[in-house]
Amino acid sequence: DQQVKQNSPSLSVQEGRISILNCDYTNSMFDYFLWYKKYPAEGPTFLISISSIKDKNEDGRFTVFLNKSAKHLSLHIVPSQPGDSAVYFCAAIFDSWGKLQFGAGTQVVVTP
Amino acid sequence: NAGVMQNPRHLVRRRGQEARLRCSPMKGHSHVYWYRQLPEEGLKFMVYLQKENIIDESGMPKERFSAEFPKEGPSILRIQQVVRGDSAAYFCASSGERTDEQYFGPGTRLTVT
């Protein structure tokens, strides 16, 4: 029962251009959404989050957009840099216990 | 301020042996979560613990798996009689009172031969 879905397993983008990562969810009870970045052989590191009462949150080069009616969120990275090459996970929380539900991840490769 | 520590980083066990994975949360954090990542998949929640209490173990397999977070010392994820399907990366995360701010350790990669 995959409640958080990332349908693009990989994304290749040129350095300096925009990376757009997409995430869909099925559970309308989710009230907080997060993006994590993961390098090989390391744990996920928190990138940016958004509450369900907002539709946009921005932090430097990273912006997350939430469309609740479509149950869809996206992460924009602009401009993309070589160090952004990693796997990006979308995650969601719906209860106070903070049990994160993760998508399968999107591998981003930023090319020179 | 040290981050979340996990050890060992790599663990190799033969089928039928026991695996013990340890997690030391960040200083000041009293909430610990264990997640498992199978190859080509995202992380899956296993269990959520506070000191001396299991709060939510809805993601734990019913048999062979157990977790604890004692008053003193690290949290332990124990897998008895390991099978090849247990091979995965096991990640621990910790948080303070804001349970949506979880900090992850580097993971333990378990290989069952």
Side-chain angles (χ1 to χ4, degrees):
Chain A
D1 179 22
Q2 190 71 13
Q3 298 187 53
V4 179
K5 297 178 183 178
Q6 294 176 256
N7 292 319
S8 297
S10 63
L11 172 71
S12 183
V13 64
Q14 219 169 7
E15 183 178 0
R17 307 295 285 265
I18 184 170
S19 295
I20 300 177
L21 291 79
N22 293 303
C23 178
D24 297 292
Y25 61 95
T26 57
N27 192 334
S28 56
M29 297 290 287
F30 287 137
D31 56 11
Y32 201 75
F33 303 88
L34 309 90
W35 285 93
Y36 282 84
K37 176 180 179 180
K38 185 181 180 303
Y39 293 117
E42 294 184 14
T45 54
F46 171 76
L47 205 53
I48 191 169
S49 63
I50 188 166
S51 165
S52 62
I53 62 173
K54 296 186 175 181
D55 55 19
K56 178 182 174 182
N57 188 27
E58 191 172 353
D59 184 2
R61 296 185 299 115
F62 303 92
T63 303
V64 56
F65 296 92
L66 175 62
N67 182 336
K68 277 192 297 183
S69 61
K71 294 192 180 69
H72 177 83
L73 62 156
S74 61
L75 174 68
H76 293 207
I77 307 172
V78 57
S80 299
Q81 299 174 353
D84 296 332
S85 295
V87 177
Y88 290 78
F89 291 100
C90 171
I93 291 178
F94 71 89
D95 57 26
S96 59
W97 299 137
K99 177 173 72 178
L100 291 171
Q101 307 251 1
F102 282 88
T106 297
Q107 171 77 61
V108 171
V109 176
V110 180
T111 58
Chain B
N1 187 13
V4 178
M5 310 284 282
Q6 287 188 252
N7 68 82
R9 294 292 308 274
H10 300 273
L11 182 61
V12 179
R13 284 287 178 267
R14 285 196 294 269
R15 277 180 299 170
Q17 290 185 320
E18 178 179 288
R20 281 186 179 235
L21 289 63
R22 285 176 290 277
C23 169
S24 296
M26 284 181 70
K27 187 176 180 181
H29 283 184
S30 59
H31 303 256
V32 166
Y33 312 81
W34 285 93
Y35 294 85
R36 175 166 68 172
Q37 185 182 22
L38 296 171
E40 308 301 323
E41 293 186 15
L43 284 75
K44 297 282 197 296
F45 169 81
M46 298 181 75
V47 62
Y48 162 40
L49 310 102
Q50 293 182 20
K51 284 285 187 182
E52 300 183 280
N53 286 304
I54 296 174
I55 306 301
D56 181 350
E57 56 181 349
S58 59
M60 287 272 273
K62 293 290 183 280
E63 298 177 350
R64 302 189 296 108
F65 285 72
S66 62
E68 63 176 8
F69 188 16
K71 188 176 179 182
E72 301 290 338
S75 174
I76 306 286
L77 179 67
R78 181 181 178 209
I79 311 172
Q80 295 178 288
Q81 299 173 342
V82 295
V83 300
R84 288 224 172 104
D86 297 332
S87 295
Y90 291 82
F91 292 96
C92 165
S94 74
S95 74
E97 290 313 307
R98 277 203 61 175
T99 58
D100 54 358
E101 290 186 359
Q102 296 181 23
Y103 296 83
F104 282 81
T108 294
R109 274 138 193 91
L110 172 65
T111 301
V112 179
T113 61

